[in-house]
Amino acid sequence: GDLYLKAGTIDKAGDCFQQAYAISPDNISTGTFLLSFLVKHGTLEQGKKIADALETLDNDMFSAIALASFYHREGNADAMWQWLRKAADEGAMDIDLLNCDAMNEAIEADPRYSEWFG
C-alpha cells in the first residue's frame, strides 16, 4: 500500500490496505495502516468501522496515534486526547505526537496541549 501511495495511485493503495485488513483483521498493523490511510483518503464512515474494531485490540503507540488522528478528524477532542495519552503511555515521544496528523493549530489551542508540551 505504501508503495502505491508514494507513486500517487491512491485507489490501488486503498485496495491494498483493504485486502491486507480483510486477510488479517485481528492484526494490529493491518488495522493501523488501513485507519491511517482512511483518515487521509477515506470517509468517516469507513474509518469508524476500522476504529471501532481497532479499539478492541491490544493497541501500541502507532495504533493509538492512528486512532487519535481519526477522532481528531471526527471532531471528538476528548477521544483524541485519550488516544494521544495512550500513545504516550506506550512510548511515543513528544516529537511522535507533534508529527502525527492529529496535531495542528486548533489542537495547540486546547489547554491539554500546554499541560503536555508547555
Side-chain angles (χ1 to χ4, degrees):
D2 281 338
L3 293 175
Y4 286 122
L5 279 177
K6 290 176 183 172
T9 51
I10 304 302
D11 289 341
K12 286 186 179 181
D15 291 344
C16 188
F17 289 126
Q18 291 279 4
Q19 288 174 1
Y21 183 75
I23 292 168
S24 189
D26 293 331
N27 181 301
I28 195 76
S29 295
T30 61
T32 299
F33 284 123
L34 179 56
L35 183 60
S36 296
F37 173 82
L38 292 173
V39 164
K40 293 180 182 177
H41 305 286
T43 66
L44 285 174
E45 294 79 25
Q46 292 169 315
K48 183 65 176 158
K49 292 176 187 175
I50 304 305
D52 288 347
L54 201 56
E55 285 186 11
T56 67
L57 303 177
D58 187 20
N59 288 277
D60 60 14
M61 73 176 179
F62 301 107
S63 59
I65 289 171
L67 284 160
S69 295
F70 169 76
Y71 285 114
H72 175 258
R73 183 170 175 219
E74 189 181 58
N76 185 339
D78 290 337
M80 182 204 65
W81 282 100
Q82 171 191 340
W83 285 102
L84 286 176
R85 286 194 189 279
K86 172 71 172 170
D89 291 346
E90 291 295 322
M93 303 296 284
D94 292 354
I95 194 68
D96 295 322
L97 298 178
L98 289 172
N99 285 330
C100 85
D101 292 334
M103 301 305 292
N104 65 20
E105 291 176 11
I107 291 164
E108 290 176 3
D110 189 299
R112 291 171 279 204
Y113 181 85
S114 60
E115 288 175 22
W116 277 27
F117 303 110

